[in-house]
Amino acid sequence: MPQGLPFTLPDYLKLVDITSRYILHNKRGKVEHSLPTILERLNIEHEQWLILTTQFETRFKQAAGKVIHLEQYAHNQHQQRVQGRQSAMRLLG
């Protein structure tokens, strides 16, 4: 057995998404069949998701999120520089 899952992350997300749509209607966490896929709902491309999941700690040091939230964090922490701005713009819009 190879280390990790024997399929790609996008395939795994599809599996999770499909499974969540077939959970019984009265179970918490069920996803309606009419909803778009997970990454579509998050408005994240597959490539961006792979970078976020495999390089998260190198892309974001102290805080993570959209640029506006990183700016608020930097202001609240009295930081002159917003760390992770480029990663946030590229990966989270």
Side-chain angles (χ1 to χ4, degrees):
M1 179 76 173
Q3 187 175 22
L5 299 174
F7 40 84
T8 65
L9 181 60
D11 288 341
Y12 175 72
L13 290 175
K14 286 179 189 175
L15 177 65
V16 170
D17 189 70
I18 290 168
T19 302
S20 67
R21 293 169 190 273
Y22 289 94
I23 294 174
L24 295 175
H25 71 281
N26 60 343
K27 294 289 184 181
R28 203 171 113 197
K30 180 179 182 345
V31 175
E32 295 300 322
H33 289 277
S34 60
L35 285 177
T37 65
I38 293 169
L39 291 180
E40 287 175 303
R41 290 194 313 263
L42 294 174
N43 196 26
I44 299 176
E45 297 292 327
H46 286 225
E47 180 181 320
Q48 293 169 315
W49 180 253
L50 288 172
I51 292 169
L52 279 169
T53 57
T54 59
Q55 302 174 23
F56 188 84
E57 291 176 347
T58 59
R59 300 291 179 134
F60 298 99
K61 302 293 182 194
Q62 296 177 349
K66 293 190 178 217
V67 173
I68 186 90
H69 298 125
L70 292 179
E71 290 171 345
Q72 290 170 350
Y73 176 82
H75 176 74
N76 291 339
Q77 297 298 313
H78 307 288
Q79 297 174 346
Q80 294 180 13
R81 189 168 163 261
V82 177
Q83 294 184 350
R85 180 190 300 268
Q86 288 185 358
S87 290
M89 288 185 333
R90 180 172 177 244
L91 301 171
L92 301 171

